[in-house]
Amino acid sequence: MSVTKKSFGLAPNGSEIFEYTLENSKGMKAVVISYGAILTQLWVPDSKGDVKDIVLGYDNIKDYYENGSFFGATIGPNANRIANASFSIDGVKYNIDVNDGPNNLHSHMELGYHKAVYDAVTTDSSVTFNTKDSDGNMGFPGNKDISVTYSLNDDCELGIHYEVSSDKKTIINMTNHSYFNLNGHDAGSIEDHVLTLNASKYTPVIEGAIPTGELADVKGTVFDFTSPKRIGENINDDVEQLKLVKGYDHNWVVDSTDGKIVKIANVSAKGTDRQMEVYSDLPAVQFYAGNCIAPTTGKNNVEYGPRHGMCLETQYSPDTANRPEWPSAVYGPDRKYVSTTIYKFV
């Protein structure tokens, strides 16, 4: 195991950004940067030793200044959507940025954690990014200490461990927004990827991708991934839920975590024997098929477009801040946010 460090340019505020490469003995490498705690590269071998970079991203820091699709980014304090850009805790209403129709998406486009400049501490197999967030920033209460740790081991497990403490009750719902393509970041469509989700329910949405509040059974619907199914099999079906978000961009409720790290998903792909398993201790996962990736030039001058990568964003359900009947993402002095997600390659 090894971790190496080098400069990756300057942040918009002039701070130097560093790139950290985690490498194991199997030829797997994860590359992360201190701007946005972003995963920029993930090199994974297949059974023949052919190593490919399987996450979408950019070659230089300036492209990450914009990063409209959030390639590889750490999202916080709240990932996904909050209806009407507001929520209440203990009777106090908090208004946050209106940036997605009348709603809020990913906390704030410019001030969210995906654009923070982090300090870093390394070991021989990990890098921990640290930052602080002040009370009232982006409309969220609480002075917060945030850490995001990327780790890699010889079992080809990329771990992402989050810890957030706050001196006031607040909403904490972190995730990683990497787009995966098991054939390589330059391989085009992921519609031939095969997905399994250990989730028998999902949350239907209204316009704006806000959940209705229903926990709907996936059985007998296009949302049933309880057994392996090709992503493209039903993605273009004439189904209102798909048309609302141009394909899959929905939240699945994990069948059983109880706060423990369990396997929640498996992904394979035609054309490679790489497989990815996803483990999490969180109650939900957003499967986004990359339907709305704006045409952009990525790494090695590759042109990315819709459905060239897929996301499995472990998290609390969207708008859980306004759904007291759902698992709570309220954290504060008496409840520290601690969570782990693992992407394992077999």
Side-chain angles (χ1 to χ4, degrees), residues 57-101:
Y58 300 109
D59 287 323
N60 63 80
I61 186 61
K62 289 186 177 179
D63 285 332
Y64 284 110
Y65 292 174
E66 180 63 30
N67 196 13
S69 293
F70 301 90
F71 292 147
T74 293
I75 307 296
N78 183 77
N80 217 312
R81 293 168 173 85
I82 293 179
N84 300 312
S86 66
F87 60 89
S88 295
I89 297 176
D90 294 340
V92 178
K93 184 177 181 180
Y94 297 94
N95 295 305
I96 55 179
D97 194 42
V98 180
N99 61 15
D100 189 48

Side-chain angles (χ1 to χ4, degrees), residues 53 86 88 90 114 158 164 169 180 182 186 194 233 317 321:
D53 180 6
S86 66
S88 295
D90 294 340
H114 65 293
L158 176 66
V164 183
K169 287 185 179 180
F180 298 95
L182 294 182
D186 54 355
V194 175
E233 181 174 332
S317 296

Side-chain angles (χ1 to χ4, degrees), residues 22 28 49 57 75 77 85 96 104 115 152 185 204 218 284 310-311 340:
L22 291 70
M28 182 174 165
I75 307 296
I96 55 179
N104 175 270
K115 292 193 174 180
L152 182 64
H185 77 96
V218 301
M310 59 170 291
C311 304
T340 300

Side-chain angles (χ1 to χ4, degrees), residues 180-206:
F180 298 95
N181 187 320
L182 294 182
N183 287 306
H185 77 96
D186 54 355
S189 175
I190 49 82
E191 290 189 27
D192 277 339
H193 281 43
V194 175
L195 173 65
T196 308
L197 291 173
N198 296 330
S200 56
K201 294 184 183 295
Y202 81 105
T203 53
V205 297
I206 58 173

Side-chain angles (χ1 to χ4, degrees), residues 31-32 37-42 54-57 64 67 69-75 150 158 160 162 175-181 276 286 288 290 293 309-314 343 345:
V31 182
V32 293
I38 293 170
L39 176 67
T40 61
Q41 303 174 42
L42 186 60
I54 64 162
V55 293
L56 276 58
Y64 284 110
N67 196 13
S69 293
F70 301 90
F71 292 147
T74 293
I75 307 296
Y150 287 90
L158 176 66
I160 309 177
Y162 308 89
T175 198
N176 179 273
H177 212 300
S178 289
Y179 292 73
F180 298 95
N181 187 320
M276 181 173 76
Q286 185 88 2
Y288 174 43
I293 297 174
M310 59 170 291
C311 304
L312 289 169
E313 305 160 62
T314 57
Y343 298 98
F345 296 87

Side-chain angles (χ1 to χ4, degrees), residues 197-234:
L197 291 173
N198 296 330
S200 56
K201 294 184 183 295
Y202 81 105
T203 53
V205 297
I206 58 173
E207 187 173 354
I210 297 296
T212 63
E214 178 188 5
L215 301 181
D217 290 330
V218 301
K219 188 175 182 179
T221 76
V222 299
F223 295 95
D224 190 353
F225 287 91
T226 54
S227 58
K229 185 170 76 170
R230 191 175 69 89
I231 288 171
E233 181 174 332
N234 299 115

